[in-house]
Amino acid sequence: DHAPPIGAVGHWQVKSTKDNKYRFAAFGDLHAASKYCRWDVREDLTRAAENFGAQFIADCGNWIDGEASFNRYDLVAIGMDAQLRLLARYYPKTEIPTYAVAGADHEGWYTRREGVDIGRYCESIMRDAGHDWHNLGYIESDMVLVNANSGKTAILRLMHAGGGSAYAISYKPQKILESYEGGEKPDITLIGHYHKLISGLIRNVWFAEVGCQQDQTPFMRQRSLEAHVGGLLIELEQDPRDGTIKWFKPDMRRYYNRAYYF
């Protein structure tokens, strides 16, 4: 029932407010260095998070676009260091801390090819640039939500999933949550990778796919994959008696491609 000490490997703590609430933002799939990256959307979402009183930003991966044969000519910066420094330069300045996982694709390609700890390297560059950025690890990690009144806890899982999208956008979250054994289920799961916005409750786990800040790319266009450009602001209420999350209130923010505005 008690959270591990702050700094324990794989665990980060966030305390509720006195009224048993949590407020945070959930974003993902920014793809910095892509021609299709929507910095205007990430900026607007960050300001919305500040106005919302968010305690932190949960980033579910693919913060840079990485390099592969199919995106080589869609990049504005070449090389791991150049892409991370571009991220640090244009990432919105805010006092809200960001907790981020690294995907196994895009930034994760550097990990898989060169064996680089891309999350730790990104954290170093972002902090040098003045951002309150925390590396949670590779693919998925858990944060501990600690009730300020009782010390009871719940688990918030950030993950960058894998594989392609399904025709029914709820299918992938459903299969992910069905794959968990009973004893390892978190209370909430935030999912990046699919560039979709959706939320729900499966196997008593609240979940949300966190959208993207990248317009539909040629890769997605050829595969008829829609991009839900946007993110979420989420409010939770925790039962202080046992730590369970009894209220999950997602506020989805949807943006459109540039042609819609211009």
Side-chain angles (χ1 to χ4, degrees), residues 7 96 149 165 180 243 252 261:
I96 305 173
N149 297 301
S165 291
Y180 292 152
M252 295 185 186
Y261 301 106

Side-chain angles (χ1 to χ4, degrees), residues 255-262:
Y255 299 76
Y256 297 91
N257 63 35
R258 291 182 178 90
Y260 182 90
Y261 301 106
F262 301 111

Side-chain angles (χ1 to χ4, degrees), residues 89-241:
R89 179 179 178 184
Y90 290 106
Y91 193 83
K93 293 289 187 180
T94 180
E95 293 183 2
I96 305 173
T98 298
Y99 295 90
V101 293
D105 57 347
H106 294 277
E107 69 266 2
W109 292 331
Y110 295 116
T111 297
R112 292 160 62 183
R113 286 195 305 255
E114 284 80 47
V116 177
D117 187 343
I118 189 67
R120 186 178 294 272
Y121 188 40
C122 179
E123 180 182 72
S124 175
I125 288 179
M126 292 294 280
R127 289 189 176 186
D128 284 349
H131 300 290
D132 191 0
W133 180 280
H134 303 263
N135 167 43
L136 296 189
Y138 186 59
I139 300 180
E140 70 174 39
S141 187
D142 292 347
M143 297 180 67
V144 181
L145 305 180
V146 185
N147 189 271
N149 297 301
S150 67
K152 297 294 185 179
T153 62
I155 297 297
L156 170 66
R157 180 165 296 167
L158 280 64
M159 70 176 303
H160 193 85
S165 291
Y167 175 75
I169 61 175
S170 62
Y171 180 78
K172 287 291 187 173
Q174 177 181 331
K175 300 311 290 184
I176 289 168
L177 297 177
E178 286 177 355
S179 74
Y180 292 152
E181 294 187 23
E184 67 171 358
K185 289 191 303 177
D187 298 270
I188 308 122
T189 298
L190 304 176
I191 304 169
H193 180 68
Y194 301 113
H195 294 217
K196 299 295 187 288
L197 282 168
I198 187 174
S199 63
L201 179 68
I202 296 173
R203 293 187 70 204
N204 292 325
V205 179
W206 300 103
F207 78 90
E209 288 190 47
V210 299
C212 63
Q213 294 86 63
Q214 183 190 38
D215 283 336
Q216 187 186 51
T217 64
F219 179 88
M220 295 180 69
R221 189 75 159 195
Q222 288 181 306
R223 288 158 180 78
S224 303
L225 298 174
E226 182 186 11
H228 291 177
V229 179
L232 295 99
L233 304 177
I234 297 174
E235 185 174 8
L236 309 175
E237 183 174 334
Q238 187 176 38
D239 191 328
R241 295 171 297 179

Side-chain angles (χ1 to χ4, degrees), residues 18-33:
K18 288 297 183 181
D19 60 352
N20 306 309
K21 302 283 184 64
Y22 301 87
R23 294 177 183 87
F24 59 92
F27 311 146
D29 294 277
L30 172 67
H31 292 267

